[in-house]
Amino acid sequence: MNILDRYHAMDYGPAPEARNEADAWLAARDFGKALFIGGDWKAASGGKTFETSEPSSGKLLAKVSDANAADIDAAVLAATKALPKWAASTGYQRAKVLYAIGRAMQRHQRLFAVLESIDNGKPIRESRDIDVPLAIRHFIHHAGWAQALDRDFPGQKGVGVVGQIIPWNFPLLMLAWKIAPALAAGCTVVLKPAEFTPLTAILFAEICERAGVPKGVVNIVQGGPEAGAAIVNHPGIQKIAFTGSSEVGKIIRKATAGSGKKLSLELGGKSAFIVFEDADLDSAVEGLVDGIWFNQGQVCCAGSRLLVQEGIADALIAKVKTRMSRLRVGSPLDKNTDIGPLVDLTQLDRVKGLVAEGARQGAICWQPDAALPPSGYYHLPTLATGVSPANILAQEEVFGPVLATMTFRNTEEAIELANNTRYGLAASVWSENVNLALHVAPQLKAGVVWVNGTNMFDAACGFGGYRESGFGREGGREGMFEYLAAKLPLGPVIKPAISSAQPAEQSDGDAIDRTAKLFIGGKQIRPDGNYSLAVATAKGKLAGEVGLGSRKDIRDAVSAARACKAWPEATAYNRSQVLYYLAENLSGRAGEFAARLTELTGATAKAARDEVGQSIERLFLYAGLADKFEGRVHQPPARTVTLALHEPVGVVGIVAPDASPLLGLISLIAPALAMGNTVVAVPSERYPLVATDLYQVIEYSDVPAGAINIVTGSTAELAGVLARHDDVDGLWVFADADTCAKAEAESIGNLKRVWSGNGRGLDWASDEAAGDAFLRRAVEVKNVWAPYGD
């Protein structure tokens, strides 16, 4: 075929990337000594290795050291030894090291790109133009955070030794997302790459040697499940950062329960790609190519659910099929390749199995008429139409080049379909009407929303999900907080609640006996089981009785909190007014509450008055901050702005302590309410009458029904019910260590965000027990990317 024929046919000839430098690197390296521990290269102490193969051919690339628990011990020891000096170094000193890493990676970026494509199978255009440059940007960007740490994060210090486990779909980029903020914060690192893709992590360790990273600051241990479990369970690690499947994320959440380890999980997704009838369809199709066929669909935030408005569905599907027929499937080192192989035969078999099951469940699966390469783990791009919302292709993360399509009639139905998933990582909204796009974006249960775009990432912008897509953020200011910790004013160890016997003496006086009820949906309600709990005074006399709440009562309270739309939809200013009103009305009954505190706790009259006064002051604080703790606008190096919006977590369960029973309860409820959450609170088990006295204050303070729900009873039992309830989005527990650990372990059903005191109380009267640290836990940060220009 001559040039003129080629011009008319518009066929692409092969344009292979040279791999000789990568092959030379592979040949020169001793992969039997691939563990980078304490600045030295070591073999696995057990002598084991694992194989890594080329996805495009199945050929063996290397036999790599397979770390065991003893090797992880050695890596943690090296990181622990290096920690004091690294943490004590100045921000400028750490910034220089991070910058040196970035510059060294720039000098070797083509080698990184080729190795990534050989080892992972992704097209060289993606690794060369996206993965490697973005990884470099993370190190240079975080050099700035290292130097600005004291200014921008006052009172925060690095969390300590960090264990990091990364996946095989973006091996180098995930490494950068994890290591860069950790080093900037003054942490030391033990990182385990995925077994399928160890090569660029090994090259990165060589870069660390050249860039002057102090020995032991970065430790990279290759290995399988044994090494991963050893990192998760190691007592010398203060934080775990994991990216991978939701199933493994749940295992890690359960394994770390009660350990006090800080945890961030970036997990799976089933992202919606929503196309409205006024969208530019040609642009949407190109976005869709990037959304689902980027990296062969092996992307946690892949736009794998196409939701298209009925009126344009046929036209859009026709355009999608035409574009799919022109996608080039082939060698990842060919610069003209659009879709390379999947990472491994096991992944290929999984994708094939899910497509077959989707078809069995009624989906029509279409593929372009194209030949696959004779060897390697290739799968054709697949379009599934006629997909019901319950179809496996609409619900399960396929992690392959498979697009499930559904239609919608109006905006409300689009939002409902988009949120019909247990995941909540990302979404794309396509419309030429910016008002419509920015109306829809906040209503999507996703941590990232792209407007007229997809798969946009930057080191300055946070990334992470809701629901079973995990918690925590990576990148930007939000990502830095994941590696920092503030010293909260710890109180004494909380002892397990002991079921109190009936008070020996009845109370004095002629008051008519009254049993305090539960407060659910704005009403005082008897407990479902019709049992009550006796409450004693400090002198052992009967102060009264409260309802003994149960699982059914928590269920009703959560339903009331979920049904309350008025509070989360209220403006921040309106929420502020209501909290001020609560403070005002509590102030009007300050003497009554102080007397109750003295009666129940035995506190002096002055101490009781102080606690009530501090509670009123705390309500005032959060009333004032309700419309001031705002998001940010990020400016990534592209023609787009990223709106980092603060959104309420949702329904937040709160288990309050016995210590400072009024102030502790107010200190937890107020920040949650200020940010627009609805609350199901379990007050002090020992002094619940302090909380039941609040009912009337709540009732005449214009708090919408269901915004605050209070269920009295057993702390341990009710905390467990809240932890297991899949309609509770967040849980704050200040109770004994066993109750806290069980709450964390039992929260894995929907991976709700759990904040526990790990068996310790706080000094609730201190200034540190209030403010931004509490507000950050009361919000999700949603990053909405909005492009501008022609």
Side-chain angles (χ1 to χ4, degrees):
M1 180 180 288
N2 60 36
I3 293 175
L4 185 60
D5 292 335
R6 218 178 263 286
Y7 173 79
H8 287 299
M10 290 300 290
D11 286 338
Y12 286 81
E17 172 75 27
R19 58 177 292 168
N20 53 303
E21 292 292 334
D23 286 334
W25 182 84
L26 287 165
R29 199 139 213 337
D30 180 5
F31 291 98
K33 293 182 178 179
L35 306 185
F36 186 65
I37 298 175
D40 297 322
W41 293 98
K42 299 181 180 180
S45 59
K48 291 175 62 178
T49 61
F50 63 88
E51 296 182 348
T52 182
S53 300
E54 195 168 351
S56 62
S57 65
K59 292 180 181 178
L60 178 68
L61 287 170
K63 293 183 178 180
V64 181
S65 307
D66 189 354
N68 61 19
D71 299 313
I72 301 303
D73 283 340
V76 174
L77 179 61
T80 303
K81 286 182 177 179
L83 179 63
K85 187 174 181 180
W86 181 248
S89 62
T90 67
Y92 174 53
Q93 289 170 328
R94 294 197 298 275
K96 288 193 294 183
V97 170
L98 282 158
Y99 180 74
I101 291 173
R103 292 289 286 136
M105 290 177 71
Q106 283 180 326
R107 291 193 293 273
H108 298 277
Q109 58 185 326
R110 187 53 65 96
L111 177 57
F112 271 114
V114 176
L115 277 177
E116 197 80 321
S117 290
I118 290 173
D119 203 19
N120 168 275
K122 64 177 60 192
I124 186 66
R125 284 186 296 128
E126 295 177 9
S127 56
R128 180 196 65 198
D129 299 341
I130 299 172
D131 291 31
V132 176
L134 189 50
I136 293 166
R137 166 143 169 78
H138 270 267
F139 283 100
I140 294 177
H141 174 82
H142 283 89
W145 277 130
Q147 200 162 357
L149 201 66
D150 291 338
R151 186 197 70 183
D152 284 66
F153 302 91
Q156 303 272 342
K157 298 295 181 184
V159 71
V161 177
V162 177
Q164 301 175 323
I165 303 172
I166 60 174
W168 46 260
N169 58 336
F170 290 91
L172 182 66
L173 185 54
M174 293 297 100
L175 176 151
W177 280 22
K178 297 284 191 292
I179 290 182
L183 297 191
C187 301
T188 54
V189 168
V190 176
L191 179 137
K192 188 193 88 66
E195 306 97 296
F196 288 151
T197 52
L199 297 184
T200 48
I202 294 171
L203 177 57
F204 176 80
E206 294 180 356
I207 292 293
C208 288
E209 288 183 295
R210 300 171 192 171
V213 178
K215 291 186 176 184
V217 169
V218 173
N219 304 273
I220 295 179
V221 284
Q222 314 291 340
E226 181 184 356
I231 289 174
V232 169
N233 295 311
H234 202 291
I237 287 176
Q238 285 77 51
K239 174 187 165 63
I240 299 293
F242 171 77
T243 297
S245 71
S246 296
E247 291 72 23
V248 176
K250 291 181 178 182
I251 292 170
I252 293 173
R253 165 72 281 184
K254 192 169 186 178
T256 57
S259 66
K261 289 185 173 78
K262 197 168 184 178
L263 180 64
S264 56
L265 301 173
E266 198 268 281
L267 308 176
K270 195 68 185 173
S271 300
F273 191 102
I274 308 169
V275 183
F276 287 96
E277 59 190 2
D278 66 343
D280 180 336
L281 296 192
D282 291 327
S283 294
V285 170
E286 291 307 307
L288 195 57
V289 170
D290 288 336
I292 181 58
W293 292 300
F294 174 59
N295 197 26
Q296 296 72 256
Q298 298 171 133
V299 184
C300 54
C301 55
S304 55
R305 290 185 298 143
L306 171 60
L307 309 181
V308 55
Q309 199 152 13
E310 281 184 354
I312 58 166
D314 291 343
L316 181 65
I317 294 301
K319 286 178 177 288
V320 170
K321 286 183 175 180
T322 299
R323 186 68 176 87
M324 288 174 67
S325 67
R326 293 171 182 162
L327 292 173
R328 296 174 295 279
V329 181
S331 166
L333 290 182
D334 190 332
K335 300 181 186 71
N336 292 322
T337 291
D338 296 305
I339 298 179
L342 298 181
V343 74
D344 185 75
L345 180 60
T346 56
Q347 183 65 12
L348 177 60
D349 289 342
R350 181 179 183 276
V351 172
K352 287 180 175 179
L354 286 170
V355 171
E357 179 59 23
R360 191 189 70 77
Q361 294 180 10
I364 301 169
C365 296
W366 182 88
Q367 296 175 333
D369 183 15
L372 291 176
S375 63
Y377 312 126
Y378 291 92
H379 193 287
L380 284 172
T382 302
L383 174 67
T385 54
V387 176
S388 70
N391 190 290
I392 194 169
L393 296 179
Q395 291 297 323
E396 294 299 322
E397 185 180 34
V398 177
F399 227 59
V402 180
L403 177 64
T405 305
M406 291 169 278
T407 60
F408 62 87
R409 289 165 293 184
N410 53 41
T411 302
E412 292 71 24
E413 188 176 13
I415 294 167
E416 184 177 0
L417 282 171
N419 290 336
N420 182 33
T421 173
R422 68 181 189 273
Y423 299 109
L425 189 53
S428 294
V429 179
W430 291 78
S431 171
E432 290 299 282
N433 183 343
V434 68
N435 291 330
L436 174 61
L438 294 180
H439 168 70
V440 170
Q443 298 182 69
L444 300 177
K445 297 298 183 184
V448 180
V449 178
W450 297 293
V451 174
N452 293 331
T454 189
N455 280 339
M456 293 184 281
F457 310 100
D458 188 65
C461 306
F463 180 86
Y466 296 4
R467 296 173 168 175
E468 291 188 38
S469 290
F471 46 79
R473 294 292 181 266
E474 299 195 86
R477 183 180 178 84
E478 306 99 285
M480 281 301 301
F481 276 115
E482 300 299 328
Y483 292 92
L484 296 168
K487 286 189 176 181
L488 290 176
L490 292 178
V493 172
I494 300 175
K495 296 179 180 179
I498 300 174
S499 299
S500 58
Q502 289 288 335
E505 301 180 50
Q506 296 297 309
S507 58
D508 298 326
D510 298 323
I512 298 174
D513 180 64
R514 176 175 176 269
T515 298
K517 300 174 184 177
L518 312 180
F519 190 70
I520 297 175
K523 299 178 181 178
Q524 298 187 42
I525 295 174
R526 290 186 177 87
D528 178 82
N530 269 323
Y531 285 99
S532 61
L533 178 69
V535 180
T537 69
K539 296 180 179 179
K541 294 184 177 182
L542 180 66
E545 294 181 313
V546 296
L548 185 61
S550 66
R551 177 182 61 83
K552 290 184 177 179
D553 298 309
I554 292 290
R555 177 199 64 190
D556 292 343
V558 172
S559 295
R562 182 64 66 190
C564 176
K565 304 300 183 185
W567 188 251
E569 292 176 2
T571 66
Y573 176 56
N574 285 342
R575 294 198 301 271
S576 173
Q577 286 181 304
V578 171
L579 289 171
Y580 275 129
Y581 202 18
L582 270 171
E584 178 184 332
N585 290 326
L586 179 58
S587 177
R589 297 175 59 180
E592 176 186 336
F593 276 88
R596 178 69 91 177
L597 285 169
T598 297
E599 175 194 23
L600 295 176
T601 68
T604 65
K606 181 182 184 304
R609 288 195 302 271
D610 287 346
E611 182 171 343
V612 176
Q614 289 160 349
S615 300
I616 296 166
E617 182 180 348
R618 200 134 294 174
L619 282 168
F620 250 70
L621 171 69
Y622 288 114
L625 292 176
D627 59 356
K628 298 175 184 64
F629 188 73
E630 300 175 307
R632 290 173 174 250
V633 177
H634 301 308
Q635 295 178 296
R639 290 194 307 168
T640 184
V641 293
T642 306
L643 312 176
L645 306 178
H646 283 175
E647 295 188 339
V649 172
V651 176
V652 175
I654 290 175
V655 180
D658 287 337
S660 303
L662 178 63
L663 180 58
L665 180 64
I666 294 294
S667 296
L668 293 168
I669 287 179
L673 291 174
M675 294 297 100
N677 299 283
T678 55
V679 168
V680 177
V682 177
S684 162
E685 181 175 349
R686 189 174 179 184
Y687 310 119
L689 290 172
V690 174
T692 63
D693 288 349
L694 281 171
Y695 295 173
Q696 289 183 345
V697 176
I698 296 169
E699 287 171 333
Y700 54 69
S701 296
D702 293 343
V703 179
I708 304 175
N709 305 272
I710 298 175
V711 180
T712 53
S714 165
T715 292
E717 179 184 345
L718 298 180
V721 176
L722 286 167
R724 293 187 293 272
H725 201 302
D726 285 349
D727 222 16
V728 174
D729 303 300
L731 180 58
W732 302 353
V733 184
F734 283 85
D736 62 276
D738 188 53
T739 297
C740 291
K742 286 181 178 178
E744 292 177 352
E746 293 176 347
S747 70
I748 62 173
N750 67 341
L751 281 174
K752 60 177 61 69
R753 291 99 177 96
V754 179
W755 174 30
S756 86
N758 294 306
R760 296 289 297 272
L762 293 181
D763 177 3
W764 296 102
S766 66
D767 291 339
E768 293 80 8
D772 287 6
F774 286 66
L775 293 170
R776 278 195 298 272
R777 298 180 186 276
V779 297
E780 294 276 19
V781 180
K782 172 181 286 181
N783 281 269
V784 178
W785 292 66
Y788 58 83
D790 295 331

